Amino acid sequence: MVHHLHPFQESFWSPNATLDTIPNFKIGFEVLHKKLKQSSDENKVIANYIKQRIAIEKAHSASLSTINPENKDIFETDVGAGLKRCFEVVRAESDESAKEHAIRAENLHTTALDPLLKFSIRYDRVIARAKKTTEDQINHFEYLVKGLEQSKIIYQAKCKALLAVRPDYKYTLPVKGVLKLGDTFTFHSREEIFIWLNDLYFEDDLVISQQCMLERLKESKKVEGDHCSAIIKDLIQLNFIEPTKNSSLEYKRMPKDSVPKSADKHTEARSFSGFLNRWGSSQSKKDELIEDMLVADRNYRSTVEKVDKNRTLTEEALFMHYEELENLELERIQTIKDVFISMAASLSNTIPRCKETFDNMMLYQETLKPDKDVQFIVEQYRTGRFCPRPILYENYFHGAASDQLFGVPLEEVARVEGTMVPHLISEGLSVIESGYSHSYKEEMDVVWTTSLPLDVVHKTREELNHGAPITADCLQKYDQLLLSSLIRLYLLELPDCLFTFELYEPCKLVYSTQDQDKLIRLTSITKLLTTLPSPNYYTFEAIIGHFYKLTKEQKDTKLIQALSKSFSHILVRPQIESTVNAYERHPQRLIQDLIENYETIFTKEAHQLQEENSTRPSIVIPPKKPNSMDDASSVRSTNSFSMMNGRASVDSSRTRRSSILSFMRSSQSTPTSSSLPSSVLNNAPRRGPAIPIISSSTLFEDPDEITSDSTATLTPPLSTPSNSRKSSFEPNKSDIPGHTNYMIDELASLDSFFEDEDD
């Protein structure tokens, strides 16, 4: 069984989340509450109808009971006549009908109207209270964002002012997440050092002498004298202790909220230089600018942490709010269903001759499914999937990757960590995989398909998002479910999905043709993957490889389908969500193909081609605005000629990945061959299309309903034996002169003709 978030939790977020620098929580929130206002009005309409029906039933009962024929005593003279008896039976029927209508009105009131009115009052009260609470939380977040923007502006202004006076200023970046005390101890946070200091300072110690500290270090930590002096010096420099005013040989412990002193050499010399140059304002101004910048930096950093913490609290509040509203809407529909059934039962019991009609009413009520109505609300009013946008601290001098992990682009993480796959992914997958040996099959099935509460995942995220290196040891304390949820959240918070927004439309083209050959499809997928940036490619391979090994051991196709559904929107999604792409199935089909054909797609040849693509210089197309088709053709021909002869210009300020798919990113139509110069057509290799022609008939099909061809074979395979290894998606070297430069030449020629519209 696949465990998903509640439908409301998945659906009412900003459709432009990937473009928003600051999360916009109000879009989905307001759309959902507008729909729930309609639900409240529906409750009132139904209640008013029942009130009117009760009133009519009572009025009809009163009317029947007041029927009193004139001169009824006339029948008293013929006591034994049969007509009198028959008339009395007719009169009695009116009295009985009056009682039946009165009973019906009472039953409708007690079994239908009262429960509906009570629920409607509670429904409005709960929604109003929950809306106010959540709206206050969102407004508070937006208020903090304004303060964040102001602190960032001040910080950047201080940095610019400093660089204007000191262009040679170098910001000292400490070793990422590491605090060293001498050459003996290494810590990853200030909190660890404060805990360690408990061994040196007893509870009653407000001040400790240097001699006493040295003795305690030697006794408890087996540290030699020279190292002790270095440790004390570093503790003073990092502002954990400071000499007392009475003696430089006595130290008092600093509070936990103290900040480290600047390690910048210019800051350290500020007091001395200020003493020597007190009469000169230039050096003093420079030192003040440095100090002002550091203060603004600390304020900006603390504000970012505060706002991002509030962001996570707001997301948690919205998750709880959406779950509460969804449960309330389910209860509303079930309550109204019970009301309708009670009405049908009341009518059926009081008027037997109408039983068939009322039985039909009750049968129709059975078709009312609360969960289906909730799903209808989601399909009609959804705004966007949950895609969190972290608030990043961006240092003016070294960027964001050195101070946090979540929300930082993969390329920056790879640069800082020195690895293609983030340590959180690689080490996390290793820890999860090592736990499989101690898990039952049922436990392994839900590791990647179950979502833990967001507040639990956010707490772990906060523990690991301080910039310190992530190792397997620090992840061992978390269970498998928590680690998988943490990796899922990390992938969601990336500024670009792992498959990149750029390849979403080309991927749709791959799956747009019915009855396409499996070999062609897998070859196209391989080519798409090799155009990814290296960190994206190898991270993608690590995740899919983990899924492949998990499903291969269990030989469970249902688990493959569950993983594809669970991770399709996480790994492959459009940049902007809409009502059209919300139900496209090709992301799910792609993940399923990758898991099932992992060894066929991620081959050595694919790795080699990806490396060639990643090291290829960006092709820059000069802007042009031709006045005629002839001018355009001439410009294209000139650019193509220069690029194919190795004279493509490279602009470091405008870098983009250029590939055979670049012309597909702005349009789904393919230019005809008549628009290309004849020289290119004559020299171009004759190859079958790698991307099938688009057909909208398969874009929305459920992959679970597509019958796979069990007899399909991959001939020839994408990876050949080692004695004749050759990439199946590379042209035959014997057929193409200058085959080593073939790929670059082909890319250059194609990119010179098909420009992106956004360029």
Side-chain angles (χ1 to χ4, degrees):
M1 179 179 178
V2 183
H3 301 267
H4 291 288
L5 298 174
H6 292 275
F8 281 10
Q9 292 178 340
E10 287 185 314
S11 306
F12 293 100
W13 305 89
S14 171
N16 304 321
T18 57
L19 300 177
D20 298 334
T21 55
I22 300 298
N24 189 340
F25 297 121
K26 283 191 174 180
I27 294 180
F29 178 82
E30 292 175 349
V31 169
L32 180 57
H33 274 278
K34 183 178 180 180
K35 173 60 184 76
L36 297 182
K37 177 62 170 60
Q38 176 187 330
S39 298
S40 178
D41 294 339
E42 291 174 357
N43 296 342
K44 295 176 182 178
V45 170
I46 297 173
N48 289 334
Y49 168 79
I50 299 176
K51 287 180 180 179
Q52 294 177 20
R53 181 62 184 263
I54 292 174
I56 292 174
E57 292 288 345
K58 289 182 177 180
H60 190 51
S61 173
S63 298
L64 289 174
S65 61
T66 57
I67 297 177
N68 189 15
E70 298 178 356
N71 300 325
K72 64 179 179 178
D73 295 338
I74 196 172
F75 290 98
E76 297 299 330
T77 58
D78 299 328
V79 177
L83 181 60
K84 176 184 177 182
R85 180 60 181 166
C86 291
F87 182 61
E88 288 176 351
V89 172
V90 171
R91 287 183 56 202
E93 190 278 332
S94 296
D95 294 337
E96 289 297 325
S97 294
K99 292 179 181 179
E100 288 178 357
H101 284 287
I103 294 172
R104 179 190 296 179
E106 183 64 25
N107 288 342
L108 290 176
H109 201 289
T110 56
T111 63
L113 182 60
D114 284 349
L116 181 57
L117 289 177
K118 291 179 180 178
F119 175 79
S120 297
I121 294 173
R122 182 168 67 87
Y123 183 86
D124 293 340
R125 183 179 67 251
V126 170
I127 287 183
R129 173 186 54 79
K131 180 181 181 182
K132 184 179 184 306
T133 302
T134 310
E135 204 166 29
D136 290 344
Q137 176 71 35
I138 296 175
N139 291 335
H140 181 58
F141 170 76
E142 292 179 348
Y143 171 77
L144 293 178
V145 167
K146 294 180 181 178
L148 170 63
E149 294 172 350
Q150 187 64 27
S151 64
K152 184 176 182 179
I153 292 173
I154 294 174
Y155 166 64
Q156 292 179 341
K158 297 292 184 182
C159 293
K160 292 177 182 177
L162 173 61
L163 292 178
V165 178
R166 286 271 305 276
D168 59 337
Y169 176 79
K170 300 295 183 183
Y171 184 88
T172 303
L173 181 63
V175 179
K176 180 181 177 183
V178 175
L179 297 173
K180 290 188 176 181
L181 299 181
D183 297 329
T184 308
F185 300 107
T186 300
F187 301 91
H188 294 99
S189 68
R190 293 181 61 83
E191 183 66 26
E192 292 182 11
I193 299 181
F194 278 112
I195 296 174
W196 174 78
L197 281 175
N198 288 333
D199 295 339
L200 299 179
Y201 279 81
F202 300 140
E203 293 183 0
D204 297 333
D205 287 341
L206 298 178
V207 177
I208 186 173
S209 65
Q210 184 183 52
Q211 184 63 30
C212 183
M213 182 176 289
L214 292 173
E215 292 176 357
R216 292 182 183 179
L217 280 172
K218 292 177 182 179
E219 294 174 0
S220 61
K221 302 299 178 182
K222 310 299 182 183
V223 182
E224 298 180 359
D226 295 339
H227 295 291
C228 290
S229 300
I231 292 173
I232 293 176
K233 181 179 179 181
D234 289 338
L235 286 172
I236 296 174
Q237 178 63 36
L238 293 172
N239 211 22
F240 287 100
I241 61 176
E242 70 174 5
T244 62
K245 296 180 180 179
N246 299 328
S247 174
S248 60
L249 299 180
E250 292 182 341
Y251 308 102
K252 67 176 182 178
R253 188 173 179 177
M254 300 298 290
K256 280 192 174 184
D257 58 353
S258 59
V259 296
K261 298 177 181 179
S262 171
D264 185 86
K265 59 182 181 179
H266 301 289
T267 306
E268 292 176 357
R270 180 171 62 87
S271 59
F272 179 73
S273 63
F275 175 76
L276 295 178
N277 303 285
R278 187 172 298 172
W279 57 87
S281 60
S282 177
Q283 184 64 34
S284 177
K285 181 180 180 181
K286 294 178 182 178
D287 294 335
E288 289 177 0
L289 288 174
I290 294 175
E291 187 65 26
D292 290 344
M293 184 274 293
L294 294 175
V295 171
D297 182 29
R298 288 194 295 268
N299 292 337
Y300 171 51
R301 184 193 295 267
S302 63
T303 305
V304 168
E305 294 175 355
K306 181 179 180 180
V307 175
D308 196 53
K309 176 65 175 177
N310 190 267
R311 175 192 64 84
T312 61
L313 294 176
T314 304
E315 290 176 352
E316 294 167 13
L318 281 170
F319 261 62
M320 295 177 61
H321 181 61
Y322 289 158
E323 181 180 358
E324 182 180 20
L325 295 184
E326 181 182 332
N327 292 334
L328 194 63
E329 187 66 14
L330 288 170
E331 184 181 356
R332 182 185 82 91
I333 299 172
Q334 185 63 47
T335 300
I336 293 176
K337 178 179 178 179
D338 294 341
V339 166
F340 290 160
I341 292 176
S342 297
M343 289 182 64
S346 298
L347 298 176
S348 177
N349 293 335
T350 55
I351 306 179
R353 63 179 176 272
C354 299
K355 188 175 186 306
E356 183 178 352
T357 302
F358 301 140
D359 286 347
N360 187 48
M361 290 175 57
M362 296 185 67
L363 180 63
Y364 191 83
Q365 301 309 315
E366 293 301 323
T367 63
L368 181 59
K369 304 294 184 182
D371 56 335
K372 298 295 183 182
D373 273 40
V374 166
Q375 188 62 35
F376 175 80
I377 293 175
V378 170
E379 292 175 357
Q380 293 295 319
Y381 298 94
R382 66 179 300 158
T383 56
R385 287 183 179 271
F386 175 62
C387 186
R389 306 307 304 154
I391 309 298
L392 299 181
Y393 163 74
E394 300 176 15
N395 189 280
Y396 191 84
F397 300 95
H398 62 76
S402 299
D403 301 282
Q404 60 248 310
L405 173 64
F406 286 77
V408 179
L410 275 180
E411 291 85 351
E412 295 187 30
V413 175
R415 174 179 55 81
V416 172
E417 293 186 351
T419 178
M420 289 299 180
V421 182
H423 291 149
L424 176 64
I425 302 292
S426 58
E427 301 296 341
L429 293 178
S430 299
V431 173
I432 293 174
E433 193 170 332
S434 64
Y436 286 152
S437 58
H438 310 291
S439 303
Y440 294 103
K441 179 181 182 302
E442 293 76 11
E443 296 174 336
M444 296 168 63
D445 287 347
V446 300
V447 167
W448 293 102
T449 57
T450 301
S451 299
L452 292 181
L454 192 60
D455 57 339
V456 177
V457 185
H458 276 163
K459 182 179 179 181
T460 308
R461 174 191 183 277
E462 186 176 357
E463 294 174 359
L464 298 176
N465 199 35
H466 47 66
I470 294 180
T471 61
D473 293 336
C474 70
L475 297 179
Q476 289 288 351
K477 60 181 179 180
Y478 305 116
D479 59 46
Q480 292 176 311
L481 283 176
L482 184 54
L483 282 177
S484 64
S485 298
L486 190 68
I487 292 175
R488 184 196 307 267
L489 181 64
Y490 173 77
L491 295 173
L492 278 174
E493 290 190 355
L494 288 175
D496 193 352
C497 69
L498 206 57
F499 195 66
T500 71
F501 304 133
E502 184 181 35
L503 297 184
Y504 184 84
E505 291 297 327
C507 179
K508 182 193 294 186
L509 294 179
V510 173
Y511 289 95
S512 61
T513 304
Q514 288 181 329
D515 302 326
Q516 57 180 304
D517 183 72
K518 187 176 181 181
L519 174 61
I520 295 179
R521 185 175 76 250
L522 295 183
T523 304
S524 301
I525 293 173
T526 303
K527 288 185 177 182
L528 283 176
L529 290 173
T530 57
T531 63
L532 290 173
S534 295
N536 294 58
Y537 177 83
Y538 288 104
T539 303
F540 216 115
E541 181 186 21
I543 295 173
I544 299 299
H546 178 86
F547 291 162
Y548 172 74
K549 288 187 286 186
L550 174 62
T551 55
K552 183 180 180 181
E553 293 175 358
Q554 300 192 35
K555 299 180 180 179
D556 188 356
T557 57
K558 291 184 178 180
L559 180 58
I560 295 178
Q561 295 172 359
L563 291 171
S564 302
K565 288 181 178 179
S566 180
F567 274 83
S568 58
H569 77 282
I570 297 176
L571 301 177
V572 185
R573 61 179 182 271
Q575 188 168 24
I576 299 178
E577 288 199 35
S578 65
T579 55
V580 175
N581 58 39
Y583 302 102
E584 290 176 339
R585 298 292 187 177
H586 65 275
Q588 184 175 332
R589 295 180 63 189
L590 171 65
I591 302 303
Q592 188 167 332
D593 272 345
L594 290 176
I595 297 175
E596 292 176 346
N597 305 280
Y598 169 78
E599 293 182 341
T600 305
I601 294 174
F602 292 96
T603 61
K604 292 183 179 179
E605 291 85 356
H607 292 175
Q608 181 180 359
L609 182 58
Q610 196 283 327
E611 292 176 1
E612 293 175 359
N613 290 339
S614 64
T615 57
R616 185 178 66 250
S618 301
I619 301 173
V620 178
I621 303 171
K624 60 183 183 298
K625 295 183 179 180
N627 296 325
S628 65
M629 293 299 294
D630 294 336
D631 293 338
S633 177
S634 175
V635 173
R636 291 187 181 121
S637 179
T638 304
N639 290 342
S640 176
F641 180 82
S642 62
M643 290 181 182
M644 296 184 70
N645 285 276
R647 296 195 295 270
S649 59
V650 178
D651 186 353
S652 60
S653 64
R654 278 188 70 208
T655 59
R656 67 177 179 89
R657 291 186 294 114
S658 299
S659 69
I660 193 172
L661 298 169
S662 62
F663 67 94
M664 299 165 58
R665 294 193 293 267
S666 59
S667 175
Q668 294 182 356
S669 61
T670 304
T672 60
S673 59
S674 61
S675 63
L676 300 177
S678 58
S679 59
V680 178
L681 291 175
N682 295 332
N683 296 329
R686 299 293 184 257
R687 297 166 58 188
I691 307 299
I693 302 302
I694 185 169
S695 170
S696 60
S697 57
T698 61
L699 294 182
F700 302 95
E701 289 185 2
D702 192 338
D704 299 342
E705 300 176 358
I706 298 178
T707 304
S708 59
D709 186 3
S710 59
T711 62
T713 58
L714 299 181
T715 306
L718 289 180
S719 58
T720 56
S722 57
N723 58 354
S724 61
R725 180 169 296 278
K726 181 178 64 175
S727 173
S728 63
F729 44 79
E730 291 180 354
N732 192 334
K733 296 181 179 181
S734 62
D735 297 338
I736 301 176
H739 56 80
T740 50
N741 296 327
Y742 167 75
M743 182 59 66
I744 294 180
D745 289 345
E746 182 190 41
L747 292 171
S749 63
L750 286 174
D751 276 282
S752 66
F753 300 120
F754 303 106
E755 289 186 320
D756 293 337
E757 293 180 356
D758 54 1
D759 288 343

